[in-house]
Amino acid sequence: MARWMDLRHTYNLKGKLLFSCIGVVCIALGTTVCRVGNVGVDPFTAMNLGLSALVGMDFGTFQLLVNLVILVAVFALDKWQIGLGTIINMVFVGYLIELFTWLYGLLPWQPSGLASAGAHLVIGTLLFTLGVSLYLKTRMGVAPIDAVAPVIVACTRFSYTPVRMAQDILVTVVALFAGGPIGVFTVVAAFMTGPLITAWNRVATLRLYRRFHVLNREELAQERG
């Protein structure tokens, strides 16, 4: 019988944790690139940026508290969605975005204009989707917000796609009213990143994980099929 969080029998735990961390760094860096390029951020980050400003709390801490609330609910309903990767994501993404944004502000030049915005959107989207691919394929759990839709699907007869779309729309509406940074990337992150994540899985992530033995043969077979 499978045991929850059975780290002792997790194949290449160090490798999985390393690539989970690399994925989280890419997610935060991609989000920051889009944020400073004024092309928006993903719906969840936009909501938390807006609400944290309204209550006068730093973004990293506010996002961590929101994640903790969601985590408690997810754990009560489906703890199998949660792993060490969940903790890494919920603790570090917000603070890394703050750090990268501060570092960006130290640059001696601040690009602007339509071409700059386009470059920020492309680079940020590629980094973000690569990070999601690396992070998810370690099979170490999902971020609390990403566990909400699967939990709802498991508890109801609804299918995943409409539930996830409704979730993203609701979060985007809250972000809009809270004054969060809504932009092109917000729409891209909510509805159009799936194909890019799938492409990263195929051309980079699974090849890396096979090369560095992050996943065993059974796990690789499940991911491919």
Side-chain angles (χ1 to χ4, degrees), residues 171-186:
V171 172
T172 302
V173 169
V174 174
L176 185 63
F177 280 102
I182 302 296
V184 176
F185 180 69
T186 311

Side-chain angles (χ1 to χ4, degrees), residues 109-130:
W109 49 272
Q110 299 295 321
S112 60
L114 185 60
S116 172
H120 279 78
L121 176 62
V122 171
I123 294 171
T125 301
L126 290 175
L127 282 170
F128 180 86
T129 51
L130 172 61

Side-chain angles (χ1 to χ4, degrees), residues 36-49:
V36 299
N38 294 314
V39 293
V41 296
D42 64 274
F44 186 62
T45 301
M47 181 187 74
N48 289 328
L49 281 167

Side-chain angles (χ1 to χ4, degrees), residues 3-5 73-83 86 151:
R3 294 165 53 194
W4 177 67
M5 291 278 282
V74 170
F75 183 84
L77 295 170
D78 186 3
K79 65 182 180 181
W80 294 95
Q81 298 283 340
I82 300 169
T86 306
V151 167

Side-chain angles (χ1 to χ4, degrees), residues 8 46 63 79 85 106 111 119 153 162 216:
R8 179 178 296 182
Q63 179 150 300
K79 65 182 180 181
L106 298 179
V153 169
N216 60 26

